[in-house]
Amino acid sequence: MHIIEVEDLWKIYKNGIEALRGISFTVDEGEIFSFLGPNGAGKTTTIKILSCVLKPSKGKVVVNGFSSPKECEKIRKIVTTVPQEFQGFSDLTVRENIEYFAKLYDTTDKVDEIIQKLNLKEHERKRFKELSGGLKRKVAIACGLVGNPKVIFLDEPTVGLDPKSRRNLWELIKSLKDMKITIFLATHYLEEAERLADRVGVLYKGRIVRISTPSELMNEFKKENLEEAYLALMEEMKSEEE
């Protein structure tokens, strides 16, 4: 079952910049779907449209059967976004941060469950500002999970983390899939997408140029890893423009 359906989606800003130029794709329920592409390709713009932060210029957007922008009130109740720049409330504890978001969602009964699931019990009394980068990202995800979402949008979730923290967060993301949550992942880390994603969509200058599994893309370009295959695809796109 498709939980996200996008058809001929455009986003044209007032200054005339075409951030998205007619993209179409679907995401299956319970899938980890990763968006790849260079800076400015349209990844964050797509996430903002799907999560009802931005309105599309034109095109069809359906999330769990609800159309955007007409039914955004319903969409917002079933999706959550964990932005790259999530800061949290510095002087509040881990528990207090999660409780704050639980009150917004009216799901305060979920706080203890989420703290347990994300192994945050030993850190729940620490102030957010005292946490490591990896723990801050985990708390950010916890604040999103407490709303009981069907879809989580993760925008560069491991940027700036050390290798160990990054791999710990990968395990957390995999566990979200086990909870039957659909994960929409935007990342610059190709190893991350290769390890986590069921399928990847590659954006280039506002258009989708590939949708496939990581292994299919690697086979297409006869490369041993996704990073090399992605770079080969980018070279192909540049050569076509010349």
Side-chain angles (χ1 to χ4, degrees):
M1 174 184 171
H2 299 323
I3 196 165
I4 295 174
E5 299 175 59
V6 173
E7 186 176 319
D8 196 28
L9 176 62
W10 289 74
K11 180 59 183 179
I12 305 170
Y13 290 103
K14 291 181 180 179
N15 58 8
I17 292 177
E18 296 178 337
L20 298 173
R21 300 189 288 162
I23 67 172
S24 299
F25 65 94
T26 60
V27 178
D28 293 333
E29 190 172 10
E31 171 177 45
I32 298 180
F33 183 88
S34 183
F35 246 9
L36 310 175
N39 289 333
K43 301 187 298 296
T44 299
T45 296
T46 303
I47 287 176
K48 286 182 176 180
I49 291 173
L50 293 175
S51 57
C52 290
V53 175
L54 285 177
K55 289 184 178 181
S57 299
K58 59 180 178 178
K60 172 185 173 183
V61 177
V62 178
V63 181
N64 199 45
F66 302 124
S67 297
S68 175
K70 289 183 180 180
E71 297 179 285
C72 270
E73 185 175 344
K74 294 178 180 178
I75 291 173
R76 290 190 186 103
K77 291 180 179 179
I78 60 166
V79 307
T80 192
T81 302
V82 180
Q84 179 182 336
E85 65 275 9
F86 181 88
Q87 297 296 324
F89 296 98
S90 296
D91 289 321
L92 296 185
T93 64
V94 167
R95 172 174 281 274
E96 288 167 343
N97 268 276
I98 298 170
E99 286 176 340
Y100 172 84
F101 285 92
K103 288 175 183 176
L104 295 180
Y105 293 116
D106 195 25
T107 56
T108 51
D109 59 320
K110 300 278 290 184
V111 173
D112 286 327
E113 178 187 343
I114 294 300
I115 286 174
Q116 290 289 348
K117 279 186 176 178
L118 272 64
N119 297 315
L120 288 169
K121 187 68 178 175
E122 65 179 292
H123 306 289
E124 66 176 336
R125 299 302 175 190
K126 294 179 182 177
R127 295 184 187 277
F128 187 82
K129 65 184 178 183
E130 298 169 351
L131 304 178
S132 66
L135 277 172
K136 285 180 177 178
R137 297 291 167 80
K138 186 179 280 193
V139 173
I141 292 173
C143 290
L145 276 179
V146 79
N148 201 29
K150 289 182 175 291
V151 181
I152 291 185
F153 297 99
L154 299 176
D155 193 2
E156 303 290 349
T158 64
V159 68
L161 297 185
D162 62 80
K164 183 179 179 181
S165 296
R166 180 174 296 132
R167 287 176 183 271
N168 288 341
L169 206 57
W170 289 355
E171 293 305 313
L172 172 57
I173 293 170
K174 288 178 184 178
S175 73
L176 301 183
K177 184 179 178 180
D178 294 337
M179 294 164 64
K180 309 302 182 186
I181 297 172
T182 303
I183 300 152
F184 194 106
L185 171 68
T187 181
H188 279 107
Y189 295 114
L190 279 298
E191 183 187 4
E192 184 164 284
E194 184 178 340
R195 293 287 190 94
L196 298 177
D198 297 299
R199 290 186 302 141
V200 297
V202 183
L203 276 173
Y204 184 77
K205 294 188 176 180
R207 296 188 186 277
I208 290 181
V209 294
R210 286 294 189 286
I211 292 182
S212 69
T213 67
S215 59
E216 286 171 347
L217 195 60
M218 288 153 59
N219 289 337
E220 178 184 350
F221 289 95
K222 296 180 174 57
K223 300 296 183 181
E224 294 184 356
N225 57 59
L226 185 60
E227 181 174 356
E228 291 180 359
Y230 169 81
L231 292 173
L233 175 58
M234 290 297 100
E235 286 300 316
E236 181 180 282
M237 299 310 302
K238 291 176 183 177
S239 65
E240 289 179 1
E241 292 178 334
E242 295 174 355

